[in-house]
Amino acid sequence: RDQGMSTTPIKAGTKPAPPPSAAGEMDAVKMERIKASEKALRDTLLGAVRVVIVTLSLITSYQIRLFAVERYGRVIHEFDPWFNFRATQYLVDNGWNKFFTWYDHSVWYPLGRPVGTTIYPGMQVTAASIYHVLTGWLGVDVSLNDVCVFLPAGFSVLACIFTGGIAFEAAVKGRKWSAFTAGCGLMSVLPAHLMRSVAGAFDNECIAVTAMTATFYWWVRSLRDEKSWPIAFIAAVSYFYMVAAWGGYTFVLNMVGVHAAAQLIVNGAKNFSWNLYKAYTIFYFMGTALAIRVPVVGWMPLQSMEQMGPVFVLVIANLYAFVHVQSKKMGEREFSIFRRRVVVYGVAGIFALLLAIVQSGKVGPLSARVRGLFVPHTRTGNPLVDSVAEHQATQGDVYFKYFHFNIFTGAVGMVMCAFHKRSPARLFVAVNFFVAMYFSSKMMRLVLLLGPACAAASAVALAALYEWIADEAMTVMEAI
């Protein structure tokens, strides 16, 4: 007999024991199934928690803004909201054409005011459209006053959703829905947003924040992959709505331009992204073509110095595209020499273009208010404007009052987005937080711009913490 064979008899009716290797594979399969079921349970529980949090956040976002209505009734308060309501009433009663040719003799007496060409009409058109839809199409018995009173609270919900969308795009895989949840929750209760979106505050900012977050979301969404550039058309339309809503549209335009420039620098000519090039080209040309249709804006996008930055970014993007195409045709050494020449000639050309624009006199200088954001001692020269509290530099304690712990978690999120698993959306959140923080420190009124940026950056950081806690909790449950 062979010595290697077993002499132990096998009892009838019993199955032979599997070899050790097969037993190990069966145990591994069982463990994989257990882990898969635990992961499914974890994802289901977290998903349910997220749905509950988002739902409560959106409901809370609307309800907490009704405090003044619950206490004082459906009243429009403050001076500017009353003027906006009066203009909306004129639009509803007289129609589009008469509104834009309306000369109001009862204000700025005895001079009067051409209302249709001196206001940003987005809010009036929005309220009038909602009123016509509710009363004309849906047959709802509602007054224009009620529409204008509840409009800010309703648009705050949309701002929360778009801010959550920005955080969703910026978060890494596996944390996206947690970031969306955190973004919605933070934006719903952030005082920096709350102060301009309470019911009855029928002012431009109540819809402008929503328009701004919508533009930013569709912009970063257009950069998700190489096939997503057509979404830039939606971003351009959102930007048009922003232009019609508020004079702060210049911040939105320059923010997109700064992000595009930063993305070009990070990628370099070798890793040039045609998706970025297409998206930015569509956004700028379509957005500008629509913006000049707003009467109060006119040709300012092409005649205002503070809006020339995005034009130069477009020039630089074309230079990058040219260098990228040539890099495919040249060797390493030849391309290095060519790139240096393009940089030298390109910088010289941009400076020459800037000098020509200034010397032409067709493009005005930076406004006094914009210069004041960069030079501390610069003022508008108007004592009435300079004395307004919200035009003064922001004190340090304001950040904790308006953002609480989010001003710290937002900074953490900015660093995470800038240096860890960088993507176009993550770079945007980092740049947006940094730029908004700078401008908010120069003028109290601009704290409003930091609200969405802080909420999105903070949501990225909190999503990472949330997922880590969930993983640790599952580990503890497995040990038990």
Side-chain angles (χ1 to χ4, degrees), residues 120 208 212 216 239-255 283 291-292 294 296-302 304 306-307 449:
Y120 291 90
M212 178 174 65
F216 288 162
Y239 169 67
F240 168 61
Y241 184 64
M242 176 67 196
V243 174
W246 189 38
Y249 74 90
T250 54
F251 171 79
V252 176
L253 175 63
N254 283 281
M255 188 65 250
F283 175 84
I292 62 178
V294 180
V296 70
V297 175
W299 291 99
M300 288 300 292
L302 302 177
S304 174
E306 52 253 35
Q307 298 182 56
L449 302 178

PDB file of all heavy atoms in Angstrom, residues 120 208 212 216 239-255 283 291-292 294 296-302 304 306-307 449:
ATOM      1  N   TYR A 120     -32.909  96.126 -11.342  1.00  0.00           N
ATOM      2  CA  TYR A 120     -32.725  94.751 -11.812  1.00  0.00           C
ATOM      3  C   TYR A 120     -34.089  94.066 -11.722  1.00  0.00           C
ATOM      4  O   TYR A 120     -34.583  93.815 -10.616  1.00  0.00           O
ATOM      5  CB  TYR A 120     -31.688  94.036 -10.963  1.00  0.00           C
ATOM      6  CG  TYR A 120     -30.295  94.577 -11.166  1.00  0.00           C
ATOM      7  CD1 TYR A 120     -29.813  95.632 -10.383  1.00  0.00           C
ATOM      8  CD2 TYR A 120     -29.470  94.074 -12.155  1.00  0.00           C
ATOM      9  CE1 TYR A 120     -28.548  96.156 -10.583  1.00  0.00           C
ATOM     10  CE2 TYR A 120     -28.196  94.589 -12.364  1.00  0.00           C
ATOM     11  CZ  TYR A 120     -27.744  95.621 -11.579  1.00  0.00           C
ATOM     12  OH  TYR A 120     -26.487  96.148 -11.787  1.00  0.00           O
ATOM     13  N   ALA A 208     -31.373  86.355  -5.417  1.00  0.00           N
ATOM     14  CA  ALA A 208     -30.032  86.389  -5.984  1.00  0.00           C
ATOM     15  C   ALA A 208     -29.171  85.249  -5.445  1.00  0.00           C
ATOM     16  O   ALA A 208     -28.358  84.675  -6.187  1.00  0.00           O
ATOM     17  CB  ALA A 208     -29.367  87.732  -5.692  1.00  0.00           C
ATOM     18  N   MET A 212     -27.342  82.589  -7.721  1.00  0.00           N
ATOM     19  CA  MET A 212     -25.900  82.403  -7.631  1.00  0.00           C
ATOM     20  C   MET A 212     -25.546  80.939  -7.399  1.00  0.00           C
ATOM     21  O   MET A 212     -24.668  80.379  -8.079  1.00  0.00           O
ATOM     22  CB  MET A 212     -25.336  83.262  -6.493  1.00  0.00           C
ATOM     23  CG  MET A 212     -23.848  83.097  -6.274  1.00  0.00           C
ATOM     24  SD  MET A 212     -23.191  84.256  -5.042  1.00  0.00           S
ATOM     25  CE  MET A 212     -24.038  83.701  -3.568  1.00  0.00           C
ATOM     26  N   PHE A 216     -23.478  78.405  -9.941  1.00  0.00           N
ATOM     27  CA  PHE A 216     -22.283  77.684  -9.503  1.00  0.00           C
ATOM     28  C   PHE A 216     -22.474  76.170  -9.619  1.00  0.00           C
ATOM     29  O   PHE A 216     -21.552  75.451 -10.016  1.00  0.00           O
ATOM     30  CB  PHE A 216     -21.936  78.054  -8.063  1.00  0.00           C
ATOM     31  CG  PHE A 216     -21.373  79.443  -7.921  1.00  0.00           C
ATOM     32  CD1 PHE A 216     -21.354  80.079  -6.681  1.00  0.00           C
ATOM     33  CD2 PHE A 216     -20.856  80.119  -9.012  1.00  0.00           C
ATOM     34  CE1 PHE A 216     -20.829  81.356  -6.546  1.00  0.00           C
ATOM     35  CE2 PHE A 216     -20.331  81.396  -8.883  1.00  0.00           C
ATOM     36  CZ  PHE A 216     -20.321  82.009  -7.649  1.00  0.00           C
ATOM     37  N   TYR A 239     -26.930  82.128 -15.070  1.00  0.00           N
ATOM     38  CA  TYR A 239     -26.194  83.379 -14.923  1.00  0.00           C
ATOM     39  C   TYR A 239     -27.020  84.565 -15.426  1.00  0.00           C
ATOM     40  O   TYR A 239     -27.012  85.653 -14.820  1.00  0.00           O
ATOM     41  CB  TYR A 239     -24.872  83.291 -15.685  1.00  0.00           C
ATOM     42  CG  TYR A 239     -24.145  84.603 -15.816  1.00  0.00           C
ATOM     43  CD1 TYR A 239     -23.608  85.230 -14.704  1.00  0.00           C
ATOM     44  CD2 TYR A 239     -24.003  85.218 -17.063  1.00  0.00           C
ATOM     45  CE1 TYR A 239     -22.948  86.446 -14.822  1.00  0.00           C
ATOM     46  CE2 TYR A 239     -23.340  86.421 -17.184  1.00  0.00           C
ATOM     47  CZ  TYR A 239     -22.818  87.039 -16.067  1.00  0.00           C
ATOM     48  OH  TYR A 239     -22.160  88.236 -16.188  1.00  0.00           O
ATOM     49  N   PHE A 240     -27.733  84.375 -16.517  1.00  0.00           N
ATOM     50  CA  PHE A 240     -28.623  85.423 -17.028  1.00  0.00           C
ATOM     51  C   PHE A 240     -29.664  85.803 -15.985  1.00  0.00           C
ATOM     52  O   PHE A 240     -29.959  86.988 -15.777  1.00  0.00           O
ATOM     53  CB  PHE A 240     -29.290  84.936 -18.315  1.00  0.00           C
ATOM     54  CG  PHE A 240     -30.437  85.794 -18.775  1.00  0.00           C
ATOM     55  CD1 PHE A 240     -30.232  87.130 -19.108  1.00  0.00           C
ATOM     56  CD2 PHE A 240     -31.714  85.274 -18.861  1.00  0.00           C
ATOM     57  CE1 PHE A 240     -31.295  87.926 -19.533  1.00  0.00           C
ATOM     58  CE2 PHE A 240     -32.778  86.057 -19.280  1.00  0.00           C
ATOM     59  CZ  PHE A 240     -32.562  87.388 -19.612  1.00  0.00           C
ATOM     60  N   TYR A 241     -30.219  84.806 -15.320  1.00  0.00           N
ATOM     61  CA  TYR A 241     -31.196  85.086 -14.257  1.00  0.00           C
ATOM     62  C   TYR A 241     -30.532  85.842 -13.109  1.00  0.00           C
ATOM     63  O   TYR A 241     -31.137  86.745 -12.517  1.00  0.00           O
ATOM     64  CB  TYR A 241     -31.804  83.777 -13.761  1.00  0.00           C
ATOM     65  CG  TYR A 241     -32.893  83.959 -12.735  1.00  0.00           C
ATOM     66  CD1 TYR A 241     -34.072  84.615 -13.061  1.00  0.00           C
ATOM     67  CD2 TYR A 241     -32.733  83.494 -11.433  1.00  0.00           C
ATOM     68  CE1 TYR A 241     -35.086  84.798 -12.125  1.00  0.00           C
ATOM     69  CE2 TYR A 241     -33.730  83.666 -10.490  1.00  0.00           C
ATOM     70  CZ  TYR A 241     -34.901  84.314 -10.841  1.00  0.00           C
ATOM     71  OH  TYR A 241     -35.880  84.503  -9.903  1.00  0.00           O
ATOM     72  N   MET A 242     -29.285  85.481 -12.807  1.00  0.00           N
ATOM     73  CA  MET A 242     -28.542  86.180 -11.767  1.00  0.00           C
ATOM     74  C   MET A 242     -28.327  87.645 -12.147  1.00  0.00           C
ATOM     75  O   MET A 242     -28.465  88.559 -11.320  1.00  0.00           O
ATOM     76  CB  MET A 242     -27.196  85.480 -11.545  1.00  0.00           C
ATOM     77  CG  MET A 242     -26.286  86.169 -10.542  1.00  0.00           C
ATOM     78  SD  MET A 242     -26.952  86.102  -8.876  1.00  0.00           S
ATOM     79  CE  MET A 242     -25.952  87.358  -8.071  1.00  0.00           C
ATOM     80  N   VAL A 243     -27.990  87.891 -13.407  1.00  0.00           N
ATOM     81  CA  VAL A 243     -27.792  89.264 -13.878  1.00  0.00           C
ATOM     82  C   VAL A 243     -29.072  90.077 -13.732  1.00  0.00           C
ATOM     83  O   VAL A 243     -29.055  91.245 -13.321  1.00  0.00           O
ATOM     84  CB  VAL A 243     -27.328  89.265 -15.350  1.00  0.00           C
ATOM     85  CG1 VAL A 243     -27.258  90.688 -15.887  1.00  0.00           C
ATOM     86  CG2 VAL A 243     -25.971  88.592 -15.475  1.00  0.00           C
ATOM     87  N   ALA A 244     -30.199  89.453 -14.061  1.00  0.00           N
ATOM     88  CA  ALA A 244     -31.479  90.155 -13.969  1.00  0.00           C
ATOM     89  C   ALA A 244     -31.914  90.382 -12.528  1.00  0.00           C
ATOM     90  O   ALA A 244     -32.772  91.228 -12.275  1.00  0.00           O
ATOM     91  CB  ALA A 244     -32.564  89.367 -14.710  1.00  0.00           C
ATOM     92  N   ALA A 245     -31.319  89.641 -11.588  1.00  0.00           N
ATOM     93  CA  ALA A 245     -31.776  89.683 -10.209  1.00  0.00           C
ATOM     94  C   ALA A 245     -31.019  90.680  -9.336  1.00  0.00           C
ATOM     95  O   ALA A 245     -31.613  91.317  -8.462  1.00  0.00           O
ATOM     96  CB  ALA A 245     -31.677  88.288  -9.583  1.00  0.00           C
ATOM     97  N   TRP A 246     -29.697  90.822  -9.555  1.00  0.00           N
ATOM     98  CA  TRP A 246     -28.903  91.578  -8.570  1.00  0.00           C
ATOM     99  C   TRP A 246     -27.623  92.083  -9.210  1.00  0.00           C
ATOM    100  O   TRP A 246     -27.031  91.410 -10.075  1.00  0.00           O
ATOM    101  CB  TRP A 246     -28.593  90.668  -7.382  1.00  0.00           C
ATOM    102  CG  TRP A 246     -27.976  91.329  -6.191  1.00  0.00           C
ATOM    103  CD1 TRP A 246     -28.267  92.566  -5.701  1.00  0.00           C
ATOM    104  CD2 TRP A 246     -26.958  90.783  -5.341  1.00  0.00           C
ATOM    105  NE1 TRP A 246     -27.510  92.821  -4.590  1.00  0.00           N
ATOM    106  CE2 TRP A 246     -26.695  91.737  -4.339  1.00  0.00           C
ATOM    107  CE3 TRP A 246     -26.279  89.584  -5.319  1.00  0.00           C
ATOM    108  CZ2 TRP A 246     -25.757  91.526  -3.334  1.00  0.00           C
ATOM    109  CZ3 TRP A 246     -25.342  89.362  -4.320  1.00  0.00           C
ATOM    110  CH2 TRP A 246     -25.091  90.323  -3.331  1.00  0.00           C
ATOM    111  N   GLY A 247     -27.155  93.229  -8.748  1.00  0.00           N
ATOM    112  CA  GLY A 247     -25.908  93.793  -9.253  1.00  0.00           C
ATOM    113  C   GLY A 247     -24.680  92.994  -8.865  1.00  0.00           C
ATOM    114  O   GLY A 247     -23.603  93.200  -9.432  1.00  0.00           O
ATOM    115  N   GLY A 248     -24.826  92.070  -7.913  1.00  0.00           N
ATOM    116  CA  GLY A 248     -23.705  91.216  -7.526  1.00  0.00           C
ATOM    117  C   GLY A 248     -23.357  90.161  -8.552  1.00  0.00           C
ATOM    118  O   GLY A 248     -22.518  89.292  -8.283  1.00  0.00           O
ATOM    119  N   TYR A 249     -23.956  90.241  -9.731  1.00  0.00           N
ATOM    120  CA  TYR A 249     -23.648  89.260 -10.777  1.00  0.00           C
ATOM    121  C   TYR A 249     -22.177  89.322 -11.190  1.00  0.00           C
ATOM    122  O   TYR A 249     -21.618  88.340 -11.701  1.00  0.00           O
ATOM    123  CB  TYR A 249     -24.543  89.494 -12.000  1.00  0.00           C
ATOM    124  CG  TYR A 249     -24.182  90.700 -12.826  1.00  0.00           C
ATOM    125  CD1 TYR A 249     -23.288  90.608 -13.887  1.00  0.00           C
ATOM    126  CD2 TYR A 249     -24.745  91.949 -12.562  1.00  0.00           C
ATOM    127  CE1 TYR A 249     -22.949  91.705 -14.635  1.00  0.00           C
ATOM    128  CE2 TYR A 249     -24.415  93.055 -13.304  1.00  0.00           C
ATOM    129  CZ  TYR A 249     -23.514  92.937 -14.346  1.00  0.00           C
ATOM    130  OH  TYR A 249     -23.176  94.034 -15.094  1.00  0.00           O
ATOM    131  N   THR A 250     -21.539  90.484 -10.983  1.00  0.00           N
ATOM    132  CA  THR A 250     -20.125  90.600 -11.342  1.00  0.00           C
ATOM    133  C   THR A 250     -19.272  89.636 -10.524  1.00  0.00           C
ATOM    134  O   THR A 250     -18.261  89.123 -11.013  1.00  0.00           O
ATOM    135  CB  THR A 250     -19.631  92.031 -11.128  1.00  0.00           C
ATOM    136  OG1 THR A 250     -19.914  92.444  -9.779  1.00  0.00           O
ATOM    137  CG2 THR A 250     -20.324  92.991 -12.075  1.00  0.00           C
ATOM    138  N   PHE A 251     -19.671  89.381  -9.280  1.00  0.00           N
ATOM    139  CA  PHE A 251     -18.943  88.408  -8.465  1.00  0.00           C
ATOM    140  C   PHE A 251     -19.078  87.009  -9.063  1.00  0.00           C
ATOM    141  O   PHE A 251     -18.104  86.258  -9.118  1.00  0.00           O
ATOM    142  CB  PHE A 251     -19.478  88.416  -7.034  1.00  0.00           C
ATOM    143  CG  PHE A 251     -18.931  87.299  -6.178  1.00  0.00           C
ATOM    144  CD1 PHE A 251     -17.660  87.391  -5.633  1.00  0.00           C
ATOM    145  CD2 PHE A 251     -19.683  86.149  -5.940  1.00  0.00           C
ATOM    146  CE1 PHE A 251     -17.144  86.356  -4.856  1.00  0.00           C
ATOM    147  CE2 PHE A 251     -19.178  85.118  -5.168  1.00  0.00           C
ATOM    148  CZ  PHE A 251     -17.904  85.217  -4.628  1.00  0.00           C
ATOM    149  N   VAL A 252     -20.263  86.656  -9.508  1.00  0.00           N
ATOM    150  CA  VAL A 252     -20.493  85.324 -10.085  1.00  0.00           C
ATOM    151  C   VAL A 252     -19.666  85.150 -11.345  1.00  0.00           C
ATOM    152  O   VAL A 252     -18.996  84.123 -11.533  1.00  0.00           O
ATOM    153  CB  VAL A 252     -21.994  85.131 -10.378  1.00  0.00           C
ATOM    154  CG1 VAL A 252     -22.240  83.798 -11.072  1.00  0.00           C
ATOM    155  CG2 VAL A 252     -22.806  85.204  -9.090  1.00  0.00           C
ATOM    156  N   LEU A 253     -19.688  86.146 -12.215  1.00  0.00           N
ATOM    157  CA  LEU A 253     -18.924  86.070 -13.460  1.00  0.00           C
ATOM    158  C   LEU A 253     -17.433  85.923 -13.183  1.00  0.00           C
ATOM    159  O   LEU A 253     -16.753  85.064 -13.769  1.00  0.00           O
ATOM    160  CB  LEU A 253     -19.193  87.320 -14.300  1.00  0.00           C
ATOM    161  CG  LEU A 253     -18.387  87.448 -15.585  1.00  0.00           C
ATOM    162  CD1 LEU A 253     -18.713  86.317 -16.544  1.00  0.00           C
ATOM    163  CD2 LEU A 253     -18.643  88.800 -16.247  1.00  0.00           C
ATOM    164  N   ASN A 254     -16.914  86.755 -12.300  1.00  0.00           N
ATOM    165  CA  ASN A 254     -15.478  86.694 -12.001  1.00  0.00           C
ATOM    166  C   ASN A 254     -15.108  85.436 -11.236  1.00  0.00           C
ATOM    167  O   ASN A 254     -13.996  84.923 -11.391  1.00  0.00           O
ATOM    168  CB  ASN A 254     -15.072  87.943 -11.210  1.00  0.00           C
ATOM    169  CG  ASN A 254     -14.943  89.172 -12.085  1.00  0.00           C
ATOM    170  OD1 ASN A 254     -13.955  89.353 -12.778  1.00  0.00           O
ATOM    171  ND2 ASN A 254     -15.954  90.020 -12.065  1.00  0.00           N
ATOM    172  N   MET A 255     -16.034  84.914 -10.431  1.00  0.00           N
ATOM    173  CA  MET A 255     -15.751  83.683  -9.708  1.00  0.00           C
ATOM    174  C   MET A 255     -15.570  82.512 -10.675  1.00  0.00           C
ATOM    175  O   MET A 255     -14.658  81.689 -10.519  1.00  0.00           O
ATOM    176  CB  MET A 255     -16.891  83.398  -8.726  1.00  0.00           C
ATOM    177  CG  MET A 255     -16.639  82.240  -7.766  1.00  0.00           C
ATOM    178  SD  MET A 255     -15.299  82.552  -6.628  1.00  0.00           S
ATOM    179  CE  MET A 255     -14.075  81.410  -7.232  1.00  0.00           C
ATOM    180  N   PHE A 283     -20.246  79.244 -21.611  1.00  0.00           N
ATOM    181  CA  PHE A 283     -20.738  80.055 -20.490  1.00  0.00           C
ATOM    182  C   PHE A 283     -20.508  81.535 -20.743  1.00  0.00           C
ATOM    183  O   PHE A 283     -21.424  82.355 -20.556  1.00  0.00           O
ATOM    184  CB  PHE A 283     -20.056  79.626 -19.197  1.00  0.00           C
ATOM    185  CG  PHE A 283     -20.408  80.487 -18.009  1.00  0.00           C
ATOM    186  CD1 PHE A 283     -21.561  80.253 -17.287  1.00  0.00           C
ATOM    187  CD2 PHE A 283     -19.594  81.545 -17.639  1.00  0.00           C
ATOM    188  CE1 PHE A 283     -21.907  81.054 -16.201  1.00  0.00           C
ATOM    189  CE2 PHE A 283     -19.919  82.353 -16.563  1.00  0.00           C
ATOM    190  CZ  PHE A 283     -21.074  82.102 -15.844  1.00  0.00           C
ATOM    191  N   ALA A 291     -26.826  88.639 -20.925  1.00  0.00           N
ATOM    192  CA  ALA A 291     -26.719  89.685 -19.904  1.00  0.00           C
ATOM    193  C   ALA A 291     -26.944  91.075 -20.488  1.00  0.00           C
ATOM    194  O   ALA A 291     -27.566  91.936 -19.844  1.00  0.00           O
ATOM    195  CB  ALA A 291     -25.358  89.620 -19.215  1.00  0.00           C
ATOM    196  N   ILE A 292     -26.456  91.326 -21.691  1.00  0.00           N
ATOM    197  CA  ILE A 292     -26.603  92.665 -22.268  1.00  0.00           C
ATOM    198  C   ILE A 292     -28.051  92.961 -22.648  1.00  0.00           C
ATOM    199  O   ILE A 292     -28.374  94.115 -22.987  1.00  0.00           O
ATOM    200  CB  ILE A 292     -25.695  92.839 -23.504  1.00  0.00           C
ATOM    201  CG1 ILE A 292     -26.089  91.852 -24.606  1.00  0.00           C
ATOM    202  CG2 ILE A 292     -24.236  92.699 -23.113  1.00  0.00           C
ATOM    203  CD1 ILE A 292     -25.258  92.012 -25.869  1.00  0.00           C
ATOM    204  N   VAL A 294     -30.449  92.756 -20.466  1.00  0.00           N
ATOM    205  CA  VAL A 294     -31.053  93.359 -19.282  1.00  0.00           C
ATOM    206  C   VAL A 294     -30.857  94.869 -19.372  1.00  0.00           C
ATOM    207  O   VAL A 294     -29.716  95.346 -19.452  1.00  0.00           O
ATOM    208  CB  VAL A 294     -30.419  92.810 -17.985  1.00  0.00           C
ATOM    209  CG1 VAL A 294     -31.050  93.443 -16.756  1.00  0.00           C
ATOM    210  CG2 VAL A 294     -30.564  91.289 -17.935  1.00  0.00           C
ATOM    211  N   VAL A 296     -30.848  97.535 -17.432  1.00  0.00           N
ATOM    212  CA  VAL A 296     -29.983  98.260 -16.508  1.00  0.00           C
ATOM    213  C   VAL A 296     -28.515  97.894 -16.699  1.00  0.00           C
ATOM    214  O   VAL A 296     -27.616  98.635 -16.310  1.00  0.00           O
ATOM    215  CB  VAL A 296     -30.417  97.980 -15.048  1.00  0.00           C
ATOM    216  CG1 VAL A 296     -30.107  96.550 -14.648  1.00  0.00           C
ATOM    217  CG2 VAL A 296     -29.766  98.965 -14.095  1.00  0.00           C
ATOM    218  N   VAL A 297     -28.241  96.759 -17.319  1.00  0.00           N
ATOM    219  CA  VAL A 297     -26.865  96.301 -17.540  1.00  0.00           C
ATOM    220  C   VAL A 297     -26.338  96.803 -18.872  1.00  0.00           C
ATOM    221  O   VAL A 297     -25.258  97.389 -18.962  1.00  0.00           O
ATOM    222  CB  VAL A 297     -26.789  94.761 -17.472  1.00  0.00           C
ATOM    223  CG1 VAL A 297     -25.383  94.271 -17.815  1.00  0.00           C
ATOM    224  CG2 VAL A 297     -27.185  94.272 -16.086  1.00  0.00           C
ATOM    225  N   GLY A 298     -27.100  96.570 -19.936  1.00  0.00           N
ATOM    226  CA  GLY A 298     -26.681  97.036 -21.250  1.00  0.00           C
ATOM    227  C   GLY A 298     -25.341  96.465 -21.674  1.00  0.00           C
ATOM    228  O   GLY A 298     -25.088  95.260 -21.550  1.00  0.00           O
ATOM    229  N   TRP A 299     -24.447  97.328 -22.133  1.00  0.00           N
ATOM    230  CA  TRP A 299     -23.144  96.897 -22.631  1.00  0.00           C
ATOM    231  C   TRP A 299     -22.066  96.895 -21.555  1.00  0.00           C
ATOM    232  O   TRP A 299     -20.876  96.785 -21.866  1.00  0.00           O
ATOM    233  CB  TRP A 299     -22.711  97.806 -23.787  1.00  0.00           C
ATOM    234  CG  TRP A 299     -23.542  97.632 -25.008  1.00  0.00           C
ATOM    235  CD1 TRP A 299     -24.580  98.410 -25.407  1.00  0.00           C
ATOM    236  CD2 TRP A 299     -23.419  96.589 -25.983  1.00  0.00           C
ATOM    237  NE1 TRP A 299     -25.127  97.933 -26.572  1.00  0.00           N
ATOM    238  CE2 TRP A 299     -24.428  96.817 -26.958  1.00  0.00           C
ATOM    239  CE3 TRP A 299     -22.572  95.497 -26.131  1.00  0.00           C
ATOM    240  CZ2 TRP A 299     -24.599  95.975 -28.059  1.00  0.00           C
ATOM    241  CZ3 TRP A 299     -22.733  94.665 -27.228  1.00  0.00           C
ATOM    242  CH2 TRP A 299     -23.744  94.899 -28.180  1.00  0.00           C
ATOM    243  N   MET A 300     -22.478  96.978 -20.295  1.00  0.00           N
ATOM    244  CA  MET A 300     -21.500  97.006 -19.210  1.00  0.00           C
ATOM    245  C   MET A 300     -20.567  95.791 -19.182  1.00  0.00           C
ATOM    246  O   MET A 300     -19.391  95.935 -18.842  1.00  0.00           O
ATOM    247  CB  MET A 300     -22.227  97.142 -17.873  1.00  0.00           C
ATOM    248  CG  MET A 300     -22.829  98.516 -17.628  1.00  0.00           C
ATOM    249  SD  MET A 300     -21.580  99.824 -17.626  1.00  0.00           S
ATOM    250  CE  MET A 300     -20.702  99.397 -16.118  1.00  0.00           C
ATOM    251  N   PRO A 301     -21.033  94.576 -19.508  1.00  0.00           N
ATOM    252  CA  PRO A 301     -20.102  93.449 -19.507  1.00  0.00           C
ATOM    253  C   PRO A 301     -18.897  93.636 -20.429  1.00  0.00           C
ATOM    254  O   PRO A 301     -17.868  92.983 -20.235  1.00  0.00           O
ATOM    255  CB  PRO A 301     -20.982  92.275 -19.982  1.00  0.00           C
ATOM    256  CG  PRO A 301     -22.354  92.637 -19.542  1.00  0.00           C
ATOM    257  CD  PRO A 301     -22.418  94.127 -19.736  1.00  0.00           C
ATOM    258  N   LEU A 302     -19.019  94.510 -21.414  1.00  0.00           N
ATOM    259  CA  LEU A 302     -17.916  94.757 -22.343  1.00  0.00           C
ATOM    260  C   LEU A 302     -17.301  96.144 -22.160  1.00  0.00           C
ATOM    261  O   LEU A 302     -16.358  96.494 -22.880  1.00  0.00           O
ATOM    262  CB  LEU A 302     -18.414  94.623 -23.785  1.00  0.00           C
ATOM    263  CG  LEU A 302     -19.040  93.266 -24.149  1.00  0.00           C
ATOM    264  CD1 LEU A 302     -19.561  93.295 -25.571  1.00  0.00           C
ATOM    265  CD2 LEU A 302     -18.042  92.141 -23.955  1.00  0.00           C
ATOM    266  N   SER A 304     -17.013  97.554 -18.706  1.00  0.00           N
ATOM    267  CA  SER A 304     -16.673  97.732 -17.293  1.00  0.00           C
ATOM    268  C   SER A 304     -15.373  96.993 -16.988  1.00  0.00           C
ATOM    269  O   SER A 304     -15.225  95.812 -17.315  1.00  0.00           O
ATOM    270  CB  SER A 304     -17.807  97.183 -16.415  1.00  0.00           C
ATOM    271  OG  SER A 304     -17.437  97.212 -15.057  1.00  0.00           O
ATOM    272  N   GLU A 306     -14.180  95.928 -14.172  1.00  0.00           N
ATOM    273  CA  GLU A 306     -14.269  94.788 -13.253  1.00  0.00           C
ATOM    274  C   GLU A 306     -14.822  93.537 -13.915  1.00  0.00           C
ATOM    275  O   GLU A 306     -14.828  92.467 -13.306  1.00  0.00           O
ATOM    276  CB  GLU A 306     -15.123  95.141 -12.032  1.00  0.00           C
ATOM    277  CG  GLU A 306     -16.466  95.712 -12.352  1.00  0.00           C
ATOM    278  CD  GLU A 306     -16.533  97.203 -12.063  1.00  0.00           C
ATOM    279  OE1 GLU A 306     -15.525  97.899 -12.263  1.00  0.00           O
ATOM    280  OE2 GLU A 306     -17.598  97.656 -11.638  1.00  0.00           O
ATOM    281  N   GLN A 307     -15.285  93.665 -15.171  1.00  0.00           N
ATOM    282  CA  GLN A 307     -15.763  92.484 -15.901  1.00  0.00           C
ATOM    283  C   GLN A 307     -14.838  92.103 -17.049  1.00  0.00           C
ATOM    284  O   GLN A 307     -15.187  91.248 -17.882  1.00  0.00           O
ATOM    285  CB  GLN A 307     -17.178  92.754 -16.431  1.00  0.00           C
ATOM    286  CG  GLN A 307     -18.183  93.001 -15.326  1.00  0.00           C
ATOM    287  CD  GLN A 307     -19.594  93.228 -15.841  1.00  0.00           C
ATOM    288  OE1 GLN A 307     -20.141  92.396 -16.551  1.00  0.00           O
ATOM    289  NE2 GLN A 307     -20.199  94.350 -15.472  1.00  0.00           N
ATOM    290  N   LEU A 449     -22.165  86.611   0.497  1.00  0.00           N
ATOM    291  CA  LEU A 449     -21.521  85.784  -0.521  1.00  0.00           C
ATOM    292  C   LEU A 449     -20.805  84.585   0.081  1.00  0.00           C
ATOM    293  O   LEU A 449     -20.635  83.556  -0.587  1.00  0.00           O
ATOM    294  CB  LEU A 449     -20.518  86.624  -1.318  1.00  0.00           C
ATOM    295  CG  LEU A 449     -21.068  87.856  -2.041  1.00  0.00           C
ATOM    296  CD1 LEU A 449     -19.945  88.602  -2.742  1.00  0.00           C
ATOM    297  CD2 LEU A 449     -22.147  87.457  -3.041  1.00  0.00           C
TER     298      LEU A 449
END
